[in-house]
């Protein structure tokens, strides 16, 4: 089990991050970026999982600049609330929440090389981090909403990237995901016969086999680039 700590961004903004520590010497650091539901029990469990695999896991509260203490579930009402909060954060003056992600990366550096992984909106932020932030060695976006738009596909990653997409994702049409793969030949893109959110065991779209395979690939990727 981890705990929340306060981190400070370059502009002086203070925000919480859930930190899970490994037993013994860390293999590196992993920044875990939330979905549109806050640093909820699922994201904390994901961070705990990376800690169990030997990494210092840091999950920053990326909604904190617009609303504090967000922890949503997966009902229709929760989704609507999360979408609105995401829009508010996306509407902040640049660089916005990327400052907080950079602070989380800097904190994770105490464990060695740093990777970043994110889900849904966090996947999009992971992609942006891979293309513009400092101190990363690897990035793994899961079904990043918006990643397959023209502006995002035009970005240039600065570190190795592995992307996971669901072929049955109603939020990210598979043809756009395949267009992303074509536009980014240096990026490893994996497809699964699964829907959006397939990694989250609290959602109806959870797919155990796809989740397990994606996690195995992610851990191998981090092992290669953070070791």
């Amino acid at each position: 089990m981890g705990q929340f700590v306060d981190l400070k961004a370059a502009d002086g903004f203070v925000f919480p991050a859930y930190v899970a520590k490994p037993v013994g010497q860390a293999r590196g650091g992993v920044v875990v970026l939330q979905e549109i539901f806050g640093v909820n029990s699922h994201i904390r469990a994901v961070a705990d999982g990376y800690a169990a695999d030997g990494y210092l896991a840091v999950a920053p509260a990326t909604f904190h600049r617009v609303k504090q203490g967000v922890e949503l579930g997966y009902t229709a009402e929760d989704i609507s609330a999360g979408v609105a909060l995401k829009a508010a954060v996306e509407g902040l003056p640049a660089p916005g929440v990327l400052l907080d992600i950079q602070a989380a990366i800097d904190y994770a550096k105490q464990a060695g090389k740093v990777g970043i992984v994110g889900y849904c909106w966090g996947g999009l932020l992971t992609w942006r981090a891979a293309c513009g932030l400092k101190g990363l060695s690897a990035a793994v976006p899961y079904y990043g909403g918006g990643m397959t738009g023209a502006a995002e596909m035009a970005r240039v990653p600065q570190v190795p990237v592995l992307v996971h997409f669901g072929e049955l994702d109603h939020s990210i049409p598979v043809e756009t995901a395949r267009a992303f793969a074509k536009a980014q030949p240096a990026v490893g893109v994996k497809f699964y016969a699964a829907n959006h959110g397939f990694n989250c065991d609290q959602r109806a779209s959870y797919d155990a086999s796809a989740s397990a395979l994606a996690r195995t690939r992610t851990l191998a990727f981090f092992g290669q680039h953070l070791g």
Side-chain angles (χ1 to χ4, degrees):
M1 296 294 292
Q3 62 182 3
F4 280 91
V5 303
D6 284 336
L7 301 182
K8 182 182 287 189
D11 64 350
F13 182 74
V14 176
F15 62 96
Y18 181 78
V19 175
K21 298 180 179 180
V23 175
Q25 184 70 30
R27 302 175 61 186
V30 173
V31 174
V32 178
L33 298 185
Q34 64 171 70
E35 302 168 300
I36 60 169
F37 308 104
V39 183
N40 62 7
S41 60
H42 170 63
I43 293 299
R44 296 195 300 272
V46 169
D48 290 342
Y50 281 108
D53 283 301
Y55 295 99
L56 173 66
V58 184
T62 49
F63 278 157
H64 202 69
R65 286 181 182 263
V66 299
K67 187 173 182 180
Q68 300 179 5
V70 177
E71 181 165 350
L72 299 171
Y74 302 95
T75 65
E77 292 78 9
D78 289 328
I79 292 170
S80 294
V83 168
L85 288 167
K86 172 192 171 183
V89 176
E90 291 281 311
L92 292 171
V97 75
L98 289 174
L99 289 175
D100 305 341
I101 297 170
Q102 184 66 67
I105 293 167
D106 294 343
Y107 180 88
K109 284 181 184 176
Q110 64 184 281
K113 292 182 179 180
V114 179
I116 188 167
V117 61
Y119 307 85
C120 183
W121 176 50
L124 172 62
L125 294 176
T126 294
W127 172 244
R128 292 175 179 169
C131 297
L133 299 186
K134 298 178 180 179
L136 289 171
S137 294
V140 183
Y142 276 70
Y143 34 82
M147 271 182 65
T148 62
E152 297 299 334
M153 282 199 286
R155 295 182 188 271
V156 180
Q158 305 300 306
V159 298
V161 179
L162 173 66
V163 183
H164 304 298
F165 285 120
E167 293 176 322
L168 309 179
D169 193 329
H170 299 299
S171 301
I172 307 172
V174 67
E175 60 268 20
T176 68
R178 297 197 187 282
F180 177 93
K182 185 176 181 180
Q184 295 285 344
V187 172
V189 181
K190 302 296 184 182
F191 291 92
Y192 305 82
N195 208 327
H196 193 78
F198 68 76
N199 183 71
C200 179
D201 60 5
Q202 297 183 23
R203 302 178 72 167
S205 56
Y206 174 63
D207 187 295
S209 59
S211 175
L213 179 55
R215 179 173 174 77
T216 296
R217 288 169 168 167
T218 299
L219 288 172
F221 189 72
F222 283 155
Q224 177 184 357
H225 296 291
L226 306 185

